Amino acid sequence: MSILVGNDTRLLVQGITGREGSFHATQMVEYGTNVVAGVTPGKKGETVAGVPVFDTVEEAVRKTNPNTSIIYVPARFAPDAIYEAVDNGIELVICITEGVPVNDMVPVYHLVKQKGARLIGPNCPGLITPGEAKVGIMPGFIHEPGKVGLVSRSGTLTYEVVDALTKAGLGQSTAVGIGGDPVIGTSFVDVLELFQNDPDTEAIVMIGVIGGDDEETAATFIKEHVTKPMAGFIAGRTAPPGKRMGHAGAIISGGSGSAEEKIAALEAAGVRVADSPSKVPGLLRQAMNA
Amino acid sequence: MSILVGNDTRLLVQGITGREGSFHATQMVEYGTNVVAGVTPGKKGETVAGVPVFDTVEEAVRKTNPNTSIIYVPARFAPDAIYEAVDNGIELVICITEGVPVNDMVPVYHLVKQKGARLIGPNCPGLITPGEAKVGIMPGFIHEPGKVGLVSRSGTLTYEVVDALTKAGLGQSTAVGIGGDPVIGTSFVDVLELFQNDPDTEAIVMIGVIGGDDEETAATFIKEHVTKPMAGFIAGRTAPPGKRMGHAGAIISGGSGSAEEKIAALEAAGVRVADSPSKVPGLLRQAMNA
Amino acid sequence: MDVHEYQAAELLAKHGVPVNPGRVASTPDEAAAAASELGGTVAIKAQVHSGGRGKAGGIKLAHNPEEAKAAAEAILGMDIRGHTVNKVLVAKGADIVREFYLGVVLDRPNRKVLIMASAEGGVDIEEVARTTPEKIVRINADPALGFHSYQAKELGFALGLRADKVHGFAKIAEHLYTAFIKEDATLVEVNPLILTGAGEWLALDSKMSFDDNALYRHKDIEGLRDMAEENETELDARSSGISFVKLDGDIGCIVNGAGLAMATMDAVKLSGGEPANFLDVGGGASASQVAKAFSLVTSDPNVRAILINIFGGITRGDVVADGIREALSQVDVKVPIVVRLSGTNAEEGKKILAEAGLMAVDTMDEAAEQVVSAASGQAA
Amino acid sequence: MDVHEYQAAELLAKHGVPVNPGRVASTPDEAAAAASELGGTVAIKAQVHSGGRGKAGGIKLAHNPEEAKAAAEAILGMDIRGHTVNKVLVAKGADIVREFYLGVVLDRPNRKVLIMASAEGGVDIEEVARTTPEKIVRINADPALGFHSYQAKELGFALGLRADKVHGFAKIAEHLYTAFIKEDATLVEVNPLILTGAGEWLALDSKMSFDDNALYRHKDIEGLRDMAEENETELDARSSGISFVKLDGDIGCIVNGAGLAMATMDAVKLSGGEPANFLDVGGGASASQVAKAFSLVTSDPNVRAILINIFGGITRGDVVADGIREALSQVDVKVPIVVRLSGTNAEEGKKILAEAGLMAVDTMDEAAEQVVSAASGQAA
């Protein structure tokens, strides 16, 4: 077991013939992910890495029955692609695309909820259940199957921590990059709840960045609902207030959303917060042995 | 028992200080309906027929806990009033207002469903459970408590049939006017299902008019799900095609929606269809004794 | 409310739909001038609020200004299903390679807006719907979020369009949907939507109808109303809040409520008569309203008797009776009147009517029989 | 993207918000002319992308053109929180009876648009939010259907407005919401929104910020960008797809990924150094991208050492190493460079770097320590 993706995943790739889409579709197929179809309007009949391409999600769903979709289309088409996926009954949609206007995501977020589907992202690296399914853009080889669930708002920082975990002998059940935008489909709390309920996840790592208050909300949830050992890291302690640090979400404004506040909240909830990504595995082991 | 309204109804009147609203609020109070509050922005502190008036539905709900709302505001404000009611948790909303633009009603209809609420109307006379609650504009005195459920797309025609039923000694469990517009919140099928499941309703009368295919849809439902004896009437056998007969819904176009088709469909479903409103009670008695 | 083809085309062009260039002409000379301005072959098309123009000879091709003038001469003044042609559209001839149908309507059963398309364009779409419904592709717009781009593309692919044609088609479908919503239309239709020899999309014939209830927020569309196409009496009635539809019989009907008014017409027919009109006085039924109703009904020379059918609900019977009495003092009614009064304060109402020399009956069936007798010259 | 007060006011006026009349002036003489044109008392307001203008002396009243000139002289050229004042808004004096706050923002926790209002207007709203949050009324717009009229009225009643003032207030709230959505704003704020002695609503100070990701569909707003307010280096970086923020330290950072870039800055600090910048080269990290990053970092004279931290994911380590090597042949870098390379093809990358005379280390902590040492003059 694991969460969200695994051997049962039947993946659809939206935007599969684009530069990003075709590259990552190939990578995912090579990793062993069960990629059943791709969609690019007008490219029906082509194949990418052996995967058949369709004009519409409707046809792809009818012919190949995917349960998960990953989106690599340009930002201005991404909301439409998400609507297309969930309107056609896809239960789990991962939107890799970055640069999607925030106001576009507001109705998308609520429609996805209303349909009973789940969206991860946008502007995220995707997620991976090592050894079963890679649904994203992360380098697969740094991951090892194991018992640590990882959830992160950052991309490369996640790889950094995963790499450290793997090197420390701590494999992962599932690693989820939820994305750094102000409006994302799946929050820390959503993933923490899944890990808490997943029998194959024994410990949890959470990686946050400055801006917003998702980490604080997560801390409240952890205090009340998470019993598994946890370690974490928050990036951006040295970031100056009011400036956007790459992520649209990573702005500290009005004294809220600072790394200090997030770290304090998480520590108060029993999470061991490292001052460097390299120290996460050690703190997690401490928590697991405590 | 009965359906939708009765002794448990706690009624809010939206637009209570208007000419229509105040007149009908008074009528409803006199009938014995439990009218708990009214709303007209800016008229807080006033009373109508002893009913306290509030500025917003939010405040009226907080202070008087209504479960049903009836709307008498002008057409251009009616959709907003429906949103205000359902957003504030009202479960049953009756919109009397006529002349609401159809395209406005499309999102309203779906939001109401989504919220798990029920809308009756717009452009309807409302509904009544004789002896318990009158929630509408019908003349109360023509009704008698009894066992006949009545559902109708027309206003005065309903009174005509109710009057005939009462004079024939057939009292009513509940009489529901669903309204004649192209997009209405509650259809024949919805009400028929409620009557079929209502232990206090022993027979059902359905009154249709030309236009649309709600009667045909109802006939299909009746065939499959309604076991109680039924009689009906369809107005507009002499109406020429393509002309709007008062009701926005009453246009026959492209050969569909004619009275003949509706009558044939209902008769095929076992409904005894009268050629005059006055003959409905006789046919209903036949059906009840069959 | 309906508008003419050329008006619909102008509105759709504003929303980004590529429409065929054309000029409106009210005289044969104007048509000739338009044909010469546009150059080449043109189509001369009757502008009337009616279908079946082609079959009725209301559309003709002309290869030069002289032919255009002749065609316009033939079409102007023509009667098409009861509509007189006062204007023609002179439209540039198009190089038609394929014809499609594209329309936006309300999908009543689903309470959603429906976008429909068919590769069988240029013909009667209702005929296609009846005989080969599988040739029509239907997609519902999301009721809250609208018509998504992916749905417009889906429509194009479902028609079997080549990928390089789908984008242009989808854009037009999106524009039609936007026009439907923004203009509060009840129908937006392009038939045919064509692909030209140059591979371009072109809306060759546009149709729009509008929701009367929403015209208050579209003064510009209200301004497109062609008074020549409207029944003057019906417009006059509407301005008084009365719904009136002229029919061919001889029994004038004055009723409160649309459903009851239709039932009354049915009752007249059942009694062997023919209703002269549909008339719903609406909720109020004040004296002035009833007087107006009398004048509307009696303006029809065919009317030989009048049936007033009022079910007093909120409208009290005595008030209606007062209204009838007063109205009769204002309007000179020369034909027999049968009144049926029931419901609230019916007895009081009947007393007032009796004082005014009118007898009122209790039931609709009785009233219908009496009025039919009266119309055929027998005692009321 | 931020715009000036006067630009925000112009945009809001287009959406129907009643804004205070004003003129923009770049010189004291222009300010005097504007004051004389407007007549009476005027406010001279610094136009800078910064809060706290009032406290900094950036807003002055003037009772005649001479005073306006003097005020503009004092304000133009002023430095407000690091922003130089190049323009002033000369605004007509208003007869303030009551001051309100009205704003539209994204409510992140609820993923909805939030409309906020307070009867405590004219002051720092974040201060009100901290100290007396109950004085701010908050209503979420429906995510699909928008901000309903009833909600706007609810807001007005919740502020305790008299019924005759609610309608006007509600209209303005609806207009602000519409502006927020239609212009893809991230913030729309009027503070204060005033009631004048004549009982009229007037937006006295307007503020708007926009979503950079949505500017592609708002060329007009992109055109409002005040280049004088932008950090040239940051703009330059953005045009290459690089996120760059100038900081005060002496350790230049080049990193792939925003989160990792922040973590790298934190590591530098933890090792006793001070980062000179935040820099995310993005996903590609091609030679030209890396070269651009080098030139951005080295353009800062404070930089005494550079830390390159790349976690090879999709970006392969050998490609990045090639990029660094090529970049170094194009850009003359005079300070020590510490490279940390990990992940995909890290070993191959290190080999390439070694050939180019650069040593790469394995961990971020190690790299941070080395670069801090290098910057303080010790061996890298």
Side-chain angles (χ1 to χ4, degrees):
Chain A
M1 266 285 295
S2 54
I3 65 166
L4 298 169
V5 298
N7 288 329
D8 294 340
T9 295
R10 295 178 56 79
L11 188 66
L12 171 70
V13 179
Q14 290 178 253
I16 194 169
T17 62
R19 199 171 55 89
E20 295 274 301
S22 61
F23 176 80
H24 290 295
T26 307
Q27 295 272 315
M28 291 187 286
V29 167
E30 282 173 6
Y31 190 80
T33 310
N34 184 16
V35 183
V36 299
V39 166
T40 298
K43 303 283 185 179
K44 180 176 170 177
E46 298 187 6
T47 62
V48 171
V51 174
V53 180
F54 299 92
D55 283 332
T56 64
V57 172
E58 186 274 325
E59 191 180 6
V61 165
R62 189 155 35 84
K63 300 214 173 133
T64 68
N65 195 31
N67 55 15
T68 304
S69 178
I70 187 162
I71 293 174
Y72 291 101
V73 307
R76 65 186 72 184
F77 307 117
D80 195 58
I82 300 171
Y83 288 129
E84 185 170 9
V86 298
D87 284 353
N88 281 289
I90 303 286
E91 296 151 23
L92 176 62
V93 180
I94 294 93
C95 184
I96 303 299
T97 311
E98 66 174 288
V100 181
V102 176
N103 288 350
D104 288 358
M105 285 308 300
V106 169
V108 169
Y109 174 88
H110 293 276
L111 183 85
V112 170
K113 289 267 162 193
Q114 193 187 314
K115 296 253 176 189
R118 183 188 294 276
L119 169 69
I120 295 179
N123 190 16
C124 78
L127 71 170
I128 182 169
T129 291
E132 299 192 16
K134 172 181 126 153
V135 181
I137 60 172
M138 64 289 290
F141 77 96
I142 59 171
H143 300 79
E144 280 293 334
K147 304 287 188 184
V148 177
L150 185 142
V151 57
S152 169
R153 259 171 86 191
S154 176
T156 41
L157 187 51
T158 311
Y159 314 159
E160 183 80 35
V161 175
V162 165
D163 192 47
L165 287 168
T166 297
K167 283 177 175 155
L170 291 163
Q172 302 89 44
S173 52
T174 303
V176 186
I178 59 173
D181 276 4
V183 173
I184 50 176
T186 297
S187 66
F188 279 126
V189 168
D190 299 325
V191 180
L192 289 170
E193 188 173 17
L194 292 171
F195 280 140
Q196 173 65 22
N197 296 331
D198 173 33
D200 279 5
T201 297
E202 291 179 359
I204 305 169
V205 170
M206 173 176 151
I207 300 163
V209 295
I210 52 169
D213 60 0
D214 286 3
E215 288 81 2
E216 287 85 341
T217 309
T220 306
F221 178 83
I222 291 164
K223 209 170 205 166
E224 291 171 15
H225 301 290
V226 177
T227 57
K228 297 183 179 178
M230 282 193 68
F233 177 74
I234 302 293
R237 269 175 300 177
T238 51
K243 277 287 189 178
R244 173 195 281 229
M245 298 285 134
H247 285 270
I251 303 180
I252 314 181
S253 59
S256 100
S258 76
E260 285 67 32
E261 287 168 291
K262 291 174 191 299
I263 292 167
L266 287 171
E267 287 183 337
V271 180
R272 292 168 198 235
V273 183
D275 61 8
S276 159
S278 63
K279 294 179 188 156
V280 170
L283 289 181
L284 189 64
R285 275 217 198 274
Q286 279 180 23
M288 291 167 82
N289 296 332
Chain B
M1 266 286 294
S2 55
I3 65 166
L4 299 169
V5 298
N7 289 328
D8 294 339
T9 295
R10 294 178 57 80
L11 188 65
L12 171 71
V13 179
Q14 289 178 256
I16 194 169
T17 62
R19 199 169 56 88
E20 296 274 300
S22 63
F23 176 79
H24 290 296
T26 307
Q27 296 271 315
M28 290 188 287
V29 168
E30 282 173 7
Y31 190 81
T33 310
N34 184 15
V35 183
V36 298
V39 167
T40 297
K43 302 283 185 179
K44 180 177 172 178
E46 297 188 5
T47 62
V48 171
V51 174
V53 180
F54 299 92
D55 283 333
T56 65
V57 172
E58 186 275 325
E59 191 179 5
V61 165
R62 188 155 36 84
K63 300 213 173 137
T64 68
N65 195 30
N67 56 14
T68 303
S69 178
I70 188 163
I71 293 174
Y72 292 101
V73 306
R76 62 186 73 183
F77 306 117
D80 194 60
I82 300 171
Y83 289 129
E84 185 170 9
V86 297
D87 285 352
N88 280 289
I90 303 285
E91 296 151 24
L92 175 62
V93 179
I94 294 92
C95 185
I96 303 299
T97 309
E98 65 173 289
V100 182
V102 175
N103 288 350
D104 288 357
M105 285 308 300
V106 168
V108 169
Y109 174 88
H110 293 275
L111 182 85
V112 171
K113 289 266 161 193
Q114 192 188 314
K115 295 253 176 188
R118 182 188 294 277
L119 170 69
I120 295 180
N123 191 16
C124 78
L127 72 169
I128 182 170
T129 291
E132 297 191 17
K134 172 181 126 152
V135 181
I137 60 172
M138 64 288 288
F141 77 95
I142 59 172
H143 301 79
E144 280 293 332
K147 303 288 187 184
V148 177
L150 184 140
V151 57
S152 169
R153 260 171 86 191
S154 175
T156 41
L157 188 50
T158 311
Y159 314 160
E160 184 82 35
V161 174
V162 165
D163 192 48
L165 287 170
T166 296
K167 283 177 176 156
L170 291 164
Q172 303 89 43
S173 54
T174 303
V176 186
I178 59 174
D181 276 2
V183 173
I184 49 174
T186 296
S187 66
F188 278 127
V189 168
D190 299 324
V191 180
L192 289 170
E193 188 173 16
L194 292 171
F195 279 141
Q196 173 66 23
N197 296 331
D198 174 33
D200 279 5
T201 297
E202 290 180 358
I204 305 169
V205 170
M206 175 178 147
I207 301 163
V209 295
I210 52 171
D213 59 0
D214 286 4
E215 287 81 2
E216 287 83 341
T217 310
T220 306
F221 178 83
I222 291 165
K223 210 171 204 166
E224 289 171 17
H225 301 289
V226 177
T227 58
K228 297 184 177 178
M230 281 191 69
F233 176 73
I234 302 291
R237 270 174 300 178
T238 51
K243 278 288 190 178
R244 171 196 281 232
M245 299 284 137
H247 284 272
I251 303 180
I252 312 180
S253 58
S256 98
S258 76
E260 285 67 31
E261 287 168 290
K262 290 175 191 299
I263 291 167
L266 286 171
E267 287 182 337
V271 180
R272 292 169 195 233
V273 183
D275 60 8
S276 160
S278 63
K279 294 178 188 158
V280 169
L283 289 182
L284 188 64
R285 274 213 198 277
Q286 279 180 23
M288 290 168 82
N289 296 332
Chain C
M1 184 193 127
D2 293 327
V3 295
H4 289 300
E5 174 195 1
Y6 76 92
Q7 295 168 320
E10 280 169 17
L11 269 169
L12 291 181
K14 268 188 214 166
H15 286 280
V17 176
V19 302
N20 201 28
R23 303 284 180 273
V24 183
S26 304
T27 65
D29 285 335
E30 279 175 28
S36 119
E37 185 191 348
L38 290 166
T41 300
V42 295
I44 312 292
K45 305 167 84 176
Q47 299 295 291
V48 280
H49 293 181
S50 167
R53 292 178 303 172
K55 284 183 195 155
I59 300 177
K60 294 182 194 296
L61 283 185
H63 298 91
N64 53 51
E66 291 70 40
E67 283 184 31
K69 185 172 177 173
E73 247 158 18
I75 294 172
L76 284 164
M78 187 181 264
D79 179 284
I80 299 180
R81 294 188 185 171
H83 298 253
T84 305
V85 181
N86 296 313
K87 286 177 190 156
V88 292
L89 173 64
V90 183
K92 203 166 164 59
D95 174 18
I96 303 176
V97 172
R98 280 186 74 186
E99 295 183 291
F100 297 84
Y101 170 89
L102 185 55
V104 185
V105 291
L106 177 72
D107 175 1
R108 284 180 60 149
N110 289 313
R111 275 88 163 132
K112 289 180 182 175
V113 176
L114 182 72
I115 299 88
M116 293 191 297
S118 175
E120 305 277 312
V123 298
D124 180 359
I125 195 68
E126 284 171 358
E127 183 61 27
V128 177
R130 251 190 313 275
T131 55
T132 50
E134 72 282 0
K135 289 189 174 165
I136 301 180
V137 186
R138 296 169 169 83
I139 292 184
N140 281 125
D142 185 292
L145 304 171
F147 185 48
H148 295 303
S149 299
Y150 86 81
Q151 297 183 300
K153 293 199 191 83
E154 232 171 66
L155 206 62
F157 284 116
L159 291 181
L161 288 176
R162 269 178 37 199
D164 63 337
K165 295 298 169 223
V166 167
H167 184 73
F169 175 86
K171 278 281 158 222
I172 294 174
E174 290 188 64
H175 293 325
L176 291 197
Y177 174 79
T178 304
F180 182 92
I181 295 296
K182 297 269 180 207
E183 310 292 353
D184 278 308
T186 54
L187 171 76
V188 177
E189 208 174 66
V190 176
N191 188 19
L193 171 68
I194 65 156
L195 265 178
T196 67
E200 305 285 331
W201 288 104
L202 201 59
L204 222 55
D205 192 345
S206 306
K207 189 173 173 184
M208 289 184 84
S209 299
F210 301 91
D211 184 350
D212 290 332
N213 289 334
L215 286 178
Y216 74 86
R217 53 190 177 204
H218 300 285
K219 296 296 171 208
D220 54 330
I221 291 170
E222 177 68 56
L224 300 179
R225 193 187 286 280
D226 183 350
M227 297 313 282
E229 287 279 354
E230 303 280 345
N231 181 307
E232 222 170 297
T233 319
E234 291 178 16
L235 274 186
D236 183 25
R238 194 186 308 151
S239 69
S240 304
I242 295 174
S243 295
F244 179 86
V245 179
K246 168 93 184 69
L247 300 172
D248 295 330
D250 55 6
I251 313 268
C253 299
I254 296 176
V255 191
N256 68 328
L260 189 61
M262 283 190 273
T264 304
M265 287 156 53
D266 296 346
V268 165
K269 185 107 176 181
L270 205 65
S271 299
E274 284 290 340
N277 63 274
F278 164 92
L279 190 156
D280 171 12
V281 288
S286 62
S288 67
Q289 201 86 341
V290 175
K292 184 78 202 173
F294 270 123
S295 73
L296 286 165
V297 169
T298 54
S299 70
D300 178 356
N302 294 338
V303 167
R304 300 184 57 193
I306 296 173
L307 170 52
I308 303 178
N309 184 10
I310 303 289
F311 196 102
I314 296 317
T315 313
R316 281 155 45 198
D318 53 342
V319 173
V320 174
D322 267 334
I324 293 172
R325 193 176 55 181
E326 272 193 57
L328 286 176
S329 72
Q330 294 164 24
V331 186
D332 186 22
V333 181
K334 296 209 163 66
V335 296
I337 299 172
V338 176
V339 183
R340 183 272 183 136
L341 202 55
S342 196
T344 313
N345 290 10
E347 289 317 307
E348 292 84 335
K350 286 182 193 166
K351 218 172 284 174
I352 294 168
L353 290 175
E355 286 161 16
L358 282 175
M359 281 296 285
V361 299
D362 281 332
T363 74
M364 188 161 81
D365 298 349
E366 204 183 331
E369 274 166 36
Q370 288 200 13
V371 80
V372 172
S373 299
S376 54
Q378 294 157 32
Chain D
M1 186 192 124
D2 293 328
V3 296
H4 290 300
E5 174 194 1
Y6 77 92
Q7 295 168 320
E10 280 168 16
L11 270 168
L12 291 181
K14 269 190 214 166
H15 287 278
V17 176
V19 301
N20 201 28
R23 304 282 179 277
V24 182
S26 304
T27 66
D29 285 336
E30 280 174 30
S36 121
E37 186 191 348
L38 290 166
T41 300
V42 295
I44 312 292
K45 305 167 85 177
Q47 299 295 290
V48 281
H49 293 181
S50 166
R53 293 178 302 171
K55 284 182 195 155
I59 300 177
K60 294 184 194 298
L61 283 184
H63 300 89
N64 52 54
E66 292 68 42
E67 282 184 32
K69 185 173 177 175
E73 246 158 21
I75 294 171
L76 286 164
M78 187 181 264
D79 179 282
I80 299 180
R81 294 188 186 172
H83 298 254
T84 305
V85 181
N86 296 313
K87 286 177 189 156
V88 292
L89 173 64
V90 183
K92 204 164 164 56
D95 174 17
I96 303 176
V97 172
R98 282 186 72 186
E99 295 183 291
F100 297 84
Y101 169 90
L102 185 56
V104 185
V105 291
L106 177 71
D107 175 1
R108 284 180 60 151
N110 289 313
R111 275 88 162 133
K112 290 180 180 174
V113 176
L114 183 72
I115 298 87
M116 292 191 296
S118 175
E120 304 278 310
V123 298
D124 180 0
I125 196 67
E126 284 171 358
E127 183 63 27
V128 177
R130 253 190 312 277
T131 55
T132 49
E134 73 283 0
K135 289 191 173 162
I136 301 180
V137 187
R138 296 168 169 82
I139 293 184
N140 280 124
D142 186 293
L145 303 172
F147 185 48
H148 296 303
S149 298
Y150 85 80
Q151 297 183 300
K153 291 196 193 85
E154 232 172 66
L155 206 61
F157 284 117
L159 290 181
L161 288 176
R162 267 178 41 197
D164 63 338
K165 294 299 169 222
V166 168
H167 184 73
F169 175 86
K171 278 281 157 224
I172 294 174
E174 290 186 64
H175 293 326
L176 291 197
Y177 174 79
T178 304
F180 182 93
I181 295 296
K182 297 269 179 208
E183 311 292 354
D184 278 307
T186 55
L187 172 76
V188 177
E189 208 174 67
V190 175
N191 189 17
L193 171 67
I194 66 157
L195 265 177
T196 67
E200 305 285 333
W201 289 103
L202 201 59
L204 222 54
D205 192 344
S206 306
K207 189 172 174 185
M208 290 185 84
S209 299
F210 302 92
D211 184 350
D212 290 332
N213 289 334
L215 286 179
Y216 75 86
R217 54 190 175 204
H218 300 284
K219 297 297 173 209
D220 53 330
I221 291 170
E222 177 67 56
L224 300 179
R225 193 186 287 279
D226 183 350
M227 298 312 282
E229 287 280 353
E230 304 280 344
N231 182 308
E232 223 171 297
T233 319
E234 292 177 17
L235 273 186
D236 182 25
R238 194 186 307 153
S239 68
S240 304
I242 295 175
S243 294
F244 179 86
V245 178
K246 168 90 183 72
L247 301 172
D248 296 330
D250 56 5
I251 313 270
C253 299
I254 297 175
V255 191
N256 68 329
L260 189 61
M262 282 190 273
T264 305
M265 287 157 52
D266 296 345
V268 166
K269 185 107 175 179
L270 204 65
S271 299
E274 286 289 341
N277 64 275
F278 164 93
L279 190 156
D280 171 12
V281 290
S286 63
S288 68
Q289 201 86 342
V290 176
K292 183 78 203 171
F294 270 122
S295 74
L296 285 165
V297 169
T298 54
S299 70
D300 178 356
N302 295 337
V303 168
R304 299 184 58 193
I306 296 173
L307 169 52
I308 304 179
N309 185 13
I310 303 289
F311 197 100
I314 296 317
T315 313
R316 284 155 42 198
D318 53 340
V319 174
V320 174
D322 267 336
I324 294 172
R325 193 176 54 183
E326 272 193 57
L328 285 176
S329 72
Q330 294 165 25
V331 185
D332 185 20
V333 181
K334 296 206 162 68
V335 297
I337 300 172
V338 177
V339 184
R340 182 273 182 134
L341 203 54
S342 196
T344 314
N345 290 10
E347 289 316 310
E348 291 86 335
K350 285 182 195 166
K351 219 172 284 174
I352 294 167
L353 290 174
E355 285 162 16
L358 280 176
M359 281 295 286
V361 297
D362 281 332
T363 73
M364 189 160 80
D365 298 347
E366 206 182 329
E369 274 167 35
Q370 288 200 12
V371 79
V372 172
S373 299
S376 54
Q378 293 159 36

